[in-house]
Amino acid sequence: MSRVQPVRPSAPGRQPSTSHDQLSHVALELFFDRGFEATTIDDIAAAAGIGRRTFFRYFPSKNDLPWGEFDVLLERMTVFLDSLPDTLPIIEAVREAALEFNRLPDSEVSYHRRRMELLLHVPDLLAHSTLRYAAWRGVVARFAARRLGADELDLEPQTIAWVSLATCLAAYEQWLREDGADLLALLGDSFTILAERS
């Protein structure tokens, strides 16, 4: 039986209010109850108490739901990286940004774990995830390029971006394998390993 509770309207005749986060949470619950492939947009909209058209005001597709407001997070990550002192080594700066990017309130940790389980292991999401990972790498490559006085498509910024992504994904996979593991600690350790082995 589904654990999802629909968002209730605050007054008769009014559409229920929702947000990107609420809609994403409803979808994550359904994906884990029914499976990603078996859950439709109509299922998600009904569970959230909104219409199909309203759904598309928040997310362009079902595949975007596990990512939440990813574009907003990338904008914040860009601002955070640019706020760091130029004296901080590039990899250390990316490490700090990765930690900040994954610093969540306790109430969000279980959703984040579910989100990453889907993004890393559901075949239907892997192709879409590639696009999102490319956007994340773009933020890192542009930052590295600025610091290096290079173009973001040059080999060195691209290598830093790809290696940084792999470092984060290794930490995520370890986190999903270990119940009760601390994601921030694993991310920090993963970047430490990268720095020590470079």
Side-chain angles (χ1 to χ4, degrees):
M1 182 168 176
S2 175
R3 297 183 300 275
V4 178
Q5 297 298 317
V7 179
R8 303 283 182 204
S10 56
R14 288 185 59 191
Q15 281 292 329
S17 62
T18 191
S19 69
H20 284 87
D21 284 345
Q22 289 171 331
L23 194 51
S24 182
H25 290 173
V26 166
L28 289 170
E29 295 281 3
L30 287 174
F31 294 155
F32 271 80
D33 282 348
R34 305 178 185 182
F36 180 80
E37 295 84 356
T39 304
T40 67
I41 288 174
D42 288 335
D43 293 334
I44 296 162
I50 61 174
R52 184 180 174 89
R53 288 178 64 186
T54 301
F55 171 93
F56 287 111
R57 292 186 194 132
Y58 289 92
F59 293 98
S61 73
K62 184 174 82 167
N63 289 355
D64 289 293
L65 277 158
W67 290 94
E69 291 190 275
F70 192 68
D71 293 337
V72 172
L73 292 174
L74 289 182
E75 290 172 9
R76 291 177 185 163
M77 185 174 169
T78 299
V79 171
F80 182 83
L81 281 166
D82 288 342
S83 74
L84 297 174
D86 287 348
T87 53
L88 193 65
I90 293 173
I91 290 296
E92 182 63 23
V94 177
R95 175 187 181 276
E96 291 303 312
L99 292 174
E100 185 65 23
F101 195 77
N102 288 278
R103 209 176 301 280
L104 303 167
D106 291 343
S107 61
E108 285 294 315
V109 172
S110 65
Y111 287 110
H112 197 44
R113 182 179 283 273
R114 292 177 177 192
R115 179 177 293 116
M116 294 314 301
E117 184 71 46
L118 290 166
L119 295 177
L120 294 174
H121 301 137
V122 172
D124 284 358
L125 283 170
L126 292 178
H128 189 69
S129 294
T130 300
L131 300 174
R132 295 301 199 170
Y133 294 147
W136 190 95
R137 290 195 320 271
V139 169
V140 174
R142 285 188 291 277
F143 167 73
R146 180 180 66 77
R147 291 282 299 274
L148 294 166
D151 186 271
E152 68 178 272
L153 296 179
D154 288 349
L155 181 60
E156 191 171 3
Q158 286 295 314
T159 299
I160 291 168
W162 278 94
V163 170
S164 296
L165 176 63
T167 301
C168 290
L169 293 178
Y172 276 126
E173 290 283 11
Q174 192 71 25
W175 183 51
L176 295 175
R177 283 193 294 270
E178 298 179 6
D179 287 338
D182 184 330
L183 176 58
L184 294 182
L186 289 170
L187 283 165
D189 291 346
S190 193
F191 274 95
T192 297
I193 292 167
L194 174 63
E196 289 178 347
R197 298 294 184 268
S198 297

